[in-house]
Amino acid sequence: MVKRKRDAFPPIIHMQPVEDATGTTVGPFAVYFPSGFKPSSEASCTWHVYTHKKHKHQHIIVARTDKVDFVGRTQGGEYVGHLPCRYAIGMLDKATGKMQAMSAEAGRIIRMEPRCPGVNYEDTGAGVRSEPLDAETRMKEYKRLIEQFGSTRRKRQLTAKENAVVTADAVGGAEALTDMLKVAADKAAESNMTKDDIINQTQALRAIPPHHPEATKPHDAYRLSELVPRDCNQALSGVVRQLQRGIDEPEFVDGVMRPKRMFAAYVLAKLPYMKNMSSDVFERRLSHLALLGTLLNLYIGPPMLKLDTTRAGGLTFLSKRTNVPMDMLDHFLAKFYQRRVHGTSEIYDISRDSKGLLLLYVLIVAVLAEDGEMTSETFESLRECLRMASIELVSRLRELGCVCTAAKGSPAASSMKPYSVSLLPAQTVPPKTLRDYFPNLKIGRRK
């Protein structure tokens, strides 16, 4: 084997202090050139060092030549992991015969890679704000970043986070009415309104489906003509015909309606019990059941509906996807959803407050489909369909003026115990109005 001769070391190595762009002395640096470049008098180069403004131990070393620049860094790349050792540079003073060891900058040998010449590696301050952003502006910047580059999952998480912020004027419960009552009290003091006047005025602003507080019968309190507009009567009649066919042809339910998920299981389970009813009761219940099936398709469906505007079909695509007729879908999208445009996509989102209002529509139509009297078995089926706890479902039903009574034999403390539900029961003498069944406002703290 032929032995490689050692390169002759120069008798004297000229060294001079290296300064970075700020004039601070740094180093010494130990570097090597994988390309084989050897700095010498024949191939001279000028050295430049750039230091990070915040992290003073991070440097960029640049050896500039006429044709190419060689760039090395003290961080990143192969330097990310743990250092197995640290390098030092020994300098021998021949006059005194003493050697001085100095730690190499960053404790490593830096690789110098060839790069295009003339690039400015100095920190220009681009992208650095002179003043910190306030919380509101920073949140807007963050939302814009997620909107442009975030994944679908991240966008949904951001939307859910925004919807989780609850304001008093966006809730339909007693707490919201109490807050609204406090605001109205200041205005009432100027107009000499009594306490009862303030309560009546505030209760009229309940965030529930259209209703008549003076009514004494269920179908007068919540009227079908007000729950769905007249423009949707033709579409609702089409849904009624589908359910009628399911009643007349049980094989159509199992062969078509159930596999295609045309309606929720709760609605399909009601069809066999629709027989042997008087014509007026049958027609009334079937109309409410048709509306209930449409509302459940929206409530159980995805919280975001996306439409590609470059494709033909428009809302017809969403109508087939949600199993909601076109006219009814157009009405409910405008009522419960917020429309936004992202590129070529038209997106419909439903907020937390709108989802709560949609739930109230579902519940009151479900009670009306039972003529105002819902058994504990029906309540349990509806609870399983909505995947809600009994206590939460009861709370929402009471907001609508329903009377909820725990079923006999149910456990005393359970989040899933069944209830029987009544809307304006006829046994009361004299008959009570819907206003009498609304939850009372809690004014002030309990002593």
Side-chain angles (χ1 to χ4, degrees):
M1 181 181 294
V2 180
K3 294 184 178 180
R4 181 180 296 177
K5 294 182 179 180
R6 293 183 178 180
D7 296 334
F9 288 99
I12 300 176
I13 299 178
H14 298 281
M15 299 183 65
Q16 60 182 4
V18 181
E19 297 181 351
D20 62 4
T22 62
T24 305
T25 302
V26 294
F29 295 95
V31 302
Y32 74 99
F33 295 84
S35 61
F37 175 77
K38 297 180 180 180
S40 63
S41 58
E42 293 80 8
S44 61
C45 62
T46 57
W47 296 89
H48 303 270
V49 178
Y50 302 96
T51 304
H52 198 284
K53 288 185 176 181
K54 293 184 178 180
H55 307 287
K56 300 299 182 182
H57 62 283
Q58 296 182 6
H59 308 281
I60 297 179
I61 303 93
V62 183
R64 298 189 184 274
T65 65
D66 296 335
K67 297 181 180 180
V68 67
D69 290 350
F70 294 91
V71 181
R73 301 173 183 270
T74 60
Q75 79 286 341
E78 69 268 31
Y79 307 131
V80 175
H82 175 70
L83 285 177
C85 62
R86 300 185 68 85
Y87 292 88
I89 301 175
M91 292 181 292
L92 176 63
D93 189 346
K94 292 185 177 181
T96 61
K98 296 181 179 181
M99 177 176 288
Q100 181 180 3
M102 301 183 63
S103 297
E105 187 69 38
R108 53 175 64 97
I109 299 178
I110 301 170
R111 183 174 61 184
M112 305 294 291
E113 295 285 352
R115 294 290 184 266
C116 295
V119 178
N120 181 19
Y121 294 94
E122 187 175 359
D123 190 355
T124 60
V128 180
R129 301 182 184 273
S130 58
E131 297 181 358
L133 295 176
D134 57 277
E136 183 179 358
T137 306
R138 186 168 60 253
M139 187 60 187
K140 290 181 180 179
E141 296 280 345
Y142 176 71
K143 289 171 57 178
R144 187 169 62 89
L145 184 65
I146 295 298
E147 184 68 25
Q148 293 293 330
F149 304 104
S151 62
T152 303
R153 180 182 179 184
R154 190 69 190 92
K155 292 176 182 178
R156 289 180 180 177
Q157 291 175 347
L158 181 62
T159 303
K161 183 178 180 181
E162 292 177 348
N163 294 339
V165 180
V166 182
T167 55
D169 57 349
V171 186
E175 294 181 0
L177 295 177
T178 303
D179 293 335
M180 296 168 62
L181 182 61
K182 293 178 181 178
V183 176
D186 298 334
K187 298 181 179 179
E190 302 177 359
S191 57
N192 296 325
M193 294 178 63
T194 64
K195 177 180 176 180
D196 294 335
D197 294 336
I198 299 174
I199 293 177
N200 293 333
Q201 183 178 0
T202 306
Q203 286 181 337
L205 301 176
R206 290 179 182 272
I208 60 177
H211 59 285
H212 296 268
E214 72 284 355
T216 58
K217 295 182 179 181
H219 294 284
D220 292 336
Y222 295 93
R223 301 173 183 176
L224 182 63
S225 58
E226 296 177 354
L227 296 175
V228 59
R230 294 182 179 179
D231 298 339
C232 300
N233 287 344
Q234 184 175 359
L236 184 62
S237 299
V239 181
V240 169
R241 288 193 294 270
Q242 289 179 338
L243 295 179
Q244 178 69 61
R245 183 179 179 183
I247 296 173
D248 299 335
E249 305 175 17
E251 63 277 3
F252 179 71
V253 176
D254 297 329
V256 179
M257 301 177 76
R258 202 181 304 275
K260 292 186 176 181
R261 298 181 179 180
M262 296 175 60
F263 298 96
Y266 175 85
V267 175
L268 297 180
K270 287 290 177 184
L271 298 183
Y273 301 97
M274 297 292 293
K275 298 180 180 180
N276 302 324
M277 293 183 180
S278 60
S279 58
D280 55 340
V281 175
F282 176 82
E283 183 179 352
R284 182 175 63 247
R285 286 199 175 190
L286 192 60
S287 298
H288 285 89
L289 193 63
L291 177 57
L292 176 61
T294 302
L295 293 172
L296 279 175
N297 287 343
L298 286 177
Y299 184 81
I300 302 176
M304 182 181 70
L305 302 176
K306 189 174 182 181
L307 179 64
D308 191 352
T309 56
T310 59
R311 295 183 180 180
L315 289 179
T316 306
F317 170 76
L318 293 182
S319 176
K320 294 180 179 179
R321 181 184 177 186
T322 58
N323 288 318
V324 177
M326 276 284 297
D327 293 341
M328 300 181 72
L329 179 63
D330 190 20
H331 168 71
F332 290 132
L333 286 179
K335 187 173 188 62
F336 300 113
Y337 290 77
Q338 290 79 42
R339 177 182 175 273
R340 58 187 175 92
V341 179
H342 178 65
T344 59
S345 299
E346 188 174 331
I347 302 174
Y348 294 88
D349 296 306
I350 184 168
S351 64
R352 178 183 178 182
D353 300 330
S354 298
K355 185 101 175 185
L357 181 60
L358 177 58
L359 174 62
L360 295 179
Y361 268 78
V362 170
L363 295 180
I364 195 59
V365 175
V367 174
L368 293 175
E370 303 294 325
D371 280 343
E373 295 290 337
M374 180 180 289
T375 62
S376 58
E377 292 80 6
T378 304
F379 175 89
E380 182 64 16
S381 299
L382 181 61
R383 185 196 65 77
E384 292 178 356
C385 179
L386 298 175
R387 298 179 181 179
M388 296 176 61
S390 297
I391 189 65
E392 183 180 1
L393 199 58
V394 167
S395 176
R396 293 307 186 98
L397 286 168
R398 286 172 176 167
E399 290 181 21
L400 297 168
C402 296
V403 179
C404 302
T405 307
K408 295 182 179 180
S410 60
S414 174
S415 60
M416 299 302 176
K417 61 182 179 181
Y419 286 78
S420 60
V421 182
S422 298
L423 177 63
L424 294 174
Q427 291 81 3
T428 59
V429 179
K432 292 184 178 181
T433 63
L434 180 64
R435 182 184 293 107
D436 298 330
Y437 288 101
F438 281 143
N440 294 326
L441 296 179
K442 295 181 181 180
I443 304 174
R445 296 183 178 179
R446 184 178 298 177
K447 296 182 180 179

